[in-house]
Amino acid sequence: MTDSLKKVVNIFAVLFLSVGFLGSGMLCLVNYPQLVAAFEQWGYSHIFMYSIGIIEIGIAVMLFHKPWRRFGMMLALLIMLGAIFTH
């Protein structure tokens, strides 16, 4: 794999993950009805849903800012482990 191809794949992965976390975080913050119902079914409060939304938006920003990318990836791992545990 050439260096230019690695850069393209890296940019695509960062963009894909950032858009996913940004979209998910925004849905938490705007009280998307299905998401509110899911959080209630799982036994989580509205404050927890808002907290997750803010963290997910923060992850999206951290993934774009290269010095913060490693911390953003670790935070994303924790959020995804929590999601796996919840489901």
Side-chain angles (χ1 to χ4, degrees):
M1 189 183 263
T2 65
D3 286 338
S4 61
L5 183 59
K6 286 181 184 180
K7 287 180 183 179
V8 169
V9 169
N10 187 23
I11 290 169
F12 178 75
V14 167
L15 181 64
F16 182 76
L17 287 171
S18 293
V19 169
F21 278 108
L22 183 65
S24 178
M26 292 300 292
L27 288 176
C28 287
L29 293 180
V30 299
N31 283 332
Y32 189 67
Q34 285 92 354
L35 203 53
V36 171
F39 271 81
E40 287 174 355
Q41 179 184 357
W42 298 324
Y44 296 134
S45 68
H46 289 283
I47 293 173
F48 185 73
M49 183 179 72
Y50 296 136
S51 300
I52 294 296
I54 290 169
I55 291 169
E56 287 178 339
I57 291 172
I59 289 169
V61 171
M62 285 184 233
L63 289 176
F64 267 109
H65 188 60
K66 194 163 188 161
W68 296 347
R69 191 171 291 162
R70 184 177 299 258
F71 182 68
M73 289 188 304
M74 289 187 295
L75 200 54
L77 175 66
L78 289 175
I79 291 289
M80 291 296 99
L81 287 174
I84 290 169
F85 178 75
T86 297
H87 290 282

